[in-house]
């Protein structure tokens, strides 16, 4: 992958994405869901062909009676609503939060299907439910008996030692339904999925602070301010911050997508924060690499514009516009180089004191990136 493609590979989440919590029956189906890449919901009596997006009053009444008779459900309407949601409201591209007793997984939801296994009967489902009520999660295991399923692609799994927003934890703890709408927690869920993402016109960057001692206010202020200055090209007033710091915890920075002039600024922040931790690079080599990346990025853009000027039978107005763009590129490059000189080193220092660590969802492989840039520099010399 080209070095600039690293900075342009930020996940962009469609604004129409919905977010769902899926419980794995006291956690017994959690590992199977991840391993076999599906989620499922019970009430095998009801298949998609049995349901519809808009049931009539009489159809709904009939199905509720069946659910009550077969499953002895005290709230058959709730069961019916969940099945309808799973079949018709959950859609491909939505994001699921899978909940275990100690772990949480995030996954992108795929197509709906129904298992063709003839052994997955209503009777088997009811029997497994009975056994689960008396089972020990640490000793017993059960295969999921549910027919109604959706494919998933796992994004990230959080174990007990990983940090997660306490607000999202609270939402999950309060809700024990098998399928629930979590749309009001969209950004918290996405921060759990990705360190950096674009959603509804905003760039969000999440940094995991692992410091367990008391946090020094100057270290925190330095980290936030220098990160904001770099990512916004020295307009920190355009950046907002959210923190869920409980030593450890998260720092979340947000900026309007339209204010990101160049994705290189995002990469600079990541290299400054994680470069020394992942590859043991010294501050001088990091700053040198950052400047090399800035120069090479703007040189590429300049060459593209100059080529456009040579190739195009552009009118005078277009030629003038391209010339103005070249002038602006030089100004932006100098601004970004100056920003790196001023803010990278204090950001590195603050990140070290806060023990900000990369996670498996970090968008940049810093070691590979640094090695590529080093080879590229050697080739040019």
């Amino acid at each position: 992958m080209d070095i600039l493609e690293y900075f342009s590979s930020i996940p962009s989440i469609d604004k129409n994405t919905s977010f769902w919590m899926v419980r794995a029956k006291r956690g017994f189906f959690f590992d199977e869901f991840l391993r076999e890449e599906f989620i499922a919901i019970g009430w095998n009596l009801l298949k998609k062909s049995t349901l519809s997006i808009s049931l009539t009053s009489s159809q709904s009444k009939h199905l509720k009676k069946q659910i009550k008779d077969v499953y002895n459900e005290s709230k058959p309407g709730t069961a019916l609503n969940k099945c309808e949601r799973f079949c018709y409201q959950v859609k491909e591209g939505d994001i699921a939060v899978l909940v275990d007793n100690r772990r949480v997984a995030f996954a992108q939801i795929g197509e709906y299907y129904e298992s063709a296994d003839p052994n997955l009967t209503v009777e088997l489902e009811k029997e497994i439910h009975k056994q689960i009520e008396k089972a020990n999660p640490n000793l017993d295991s059960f295969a999921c008996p549910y027919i109604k399923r959706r494919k998933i692609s796992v994004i990230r799994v959080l174990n007990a030692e990983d940090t997660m927003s306490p607000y999202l934890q609270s939402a999950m703890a309060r809700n024990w339904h098998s399928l629930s709408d979590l749309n009001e927690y969209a950004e918290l869920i996405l921060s759990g999925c990705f360190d950096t993402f674009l959603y509804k016109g905003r760039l969000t960057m999440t940094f995991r602070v692992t410091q367990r001692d008391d946090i020094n206010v100057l270290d925190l202020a330095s980290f936030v301010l220098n990160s904001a200055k770099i990512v916004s090209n020295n307009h920190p007033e355009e950046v907002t911050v959210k923190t869920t710091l409980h030593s450890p915890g998260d720092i979340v920075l947000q900026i309007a997508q339209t204010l990101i002039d160049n994705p290189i600024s995002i990469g600079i922040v990541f290299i400054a924060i994680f470069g020394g931790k992942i590859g043991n690079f010294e501050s001088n080599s990091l700053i040198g690499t950052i400047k090399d990346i800035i120069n090479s990025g703007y040189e590429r853009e300049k060459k593209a514009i100059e080529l456009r000027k040579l190739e195009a039978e552009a009118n005078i107005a277009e030629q003038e516009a391209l010339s103005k763009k070249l002038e602006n590129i030089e100004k932006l490059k100098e601004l970004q180089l100056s920003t790196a000189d001023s803010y990278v080193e204090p950001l590195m220092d603050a990140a070290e004191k806060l023990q900000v660590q990369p996670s498996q969802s970090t968008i940049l492989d810093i070691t590979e990136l640094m090695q590529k840039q080093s080879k590229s520099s050697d080739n040019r010399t």
Side-chain angles (χ1 to χ4, degrees), residues 112-322:
Y112 175 87
Y113 70 101
E114 292 178 0
S115 174
D117 187 343
N119 296 313
L120 302 185
T121 61
V122 170
E123 290 70 26
L124 176 66
E125 176 189 19
K126 291 168 65 176
E127 178 58 30
I128 287 181
H129 283 184
K130 280 185 184 178
Q131 293 181 32
I132 284 176
E133 290 302 315
K134 300 176 288 184
N136 182 335
N138 296 319
L139 300 174
D140 300 315
S141 63
F142 303 91
C144 176
Y146 303 151
I147 292 173
K148 296 184 291 297
R149 302 182 174 194
R150 282 187 173 273
K151 294 180 179 179
I152 60 169
S153 299
V154 177
I155 299 169
R156 188 180 180 210
V157 180
L158 295 182
N159 295 309
E161 65 273 13
D162 293 316
T163 62
M164 184 173 63
S165 165
Y167 304 111
L168 184 56
Q169 284 180 313
S170 177
M172 293 188 298
R174 293 194 308 267
N175 192 331
W176 284 90
H177 293 292
S178 55
L179 178 69
S180 306
D181 178 333
L182 286 183
N183 284 328
E184 65 180 296
Y185 301 96
E187 287 189 350
L188 294 177
I189 292 169
L190 289 172
S191 289
C193 295
F194 312 107
D195 278 347
T196 304
F197 61 89
L198 295 166
Y199 178 61
K200 292 188 175 180
R202 295 182 70 81
L203 170 78
T204 298
M205 306 172 73
T206 303
F207 300 100
R208 325 284 175 184
V209 175
T210 62
Q211 166 68 272
R212 293 187 175 275
D213 298 329
D214 291 339
I215 291 175
N216 184 292
V217 67
L218 294 178
D219 296 335
L220 177 59
S222 177
F223 181 89
V224 171
L225 184 58
N226 287 296
S227 297
K229 284 180 175 179
I230 294 171
V231 78
S232 66
N233 276 332
N234 213 16
H235 289 284
E237 70 277 5
E238 303 291 351
V239 180
T240 60
V241 62
K242 300 175 183 178
T243 61
T244 53
L245 282 177
H246 297 272
S247 300
D250 293 343
I251 298 173
V252 180
L253 300 180
Q254 289 187 317
I255 184 171
Q257 185 176 347
T258 54
L259 296 174
I260 303 295
D261 293 321
N262 194 317
I264 290 176
S265 59
I266 302 164
I268 292 172
V269 172
F270 274 87
I271 293 171
I273 293 171
F274 300 132
K277 297 181 181 301
I278 300 176
N280 294 318
F281 297 101
E282 298 294 333
S283 60
N284 287 341
S285 65
L286 278 173
I287 294 172
T289 297
I290 286 169
K291 288 185 174 183
D292 204 10
I293 290 170
I294 293 170
N295 283 317
S296 61
Y298 283 109
E299 284 303 313
R300 174 181 297 185
E301 194 171 353
K302 279 175 62 178
K303 285 179 181 177
I305 294 172
E306 287 166 350
L307 184 61
R308 166 69 184 144
K309 287 185 70 177
L310 290 172
E311 287 180 346
E313 294 179 2
N315 57 37
I316 294 174
E318 187 176 359
Q319 289 284 355
E320 288 177 353
L322 291 170

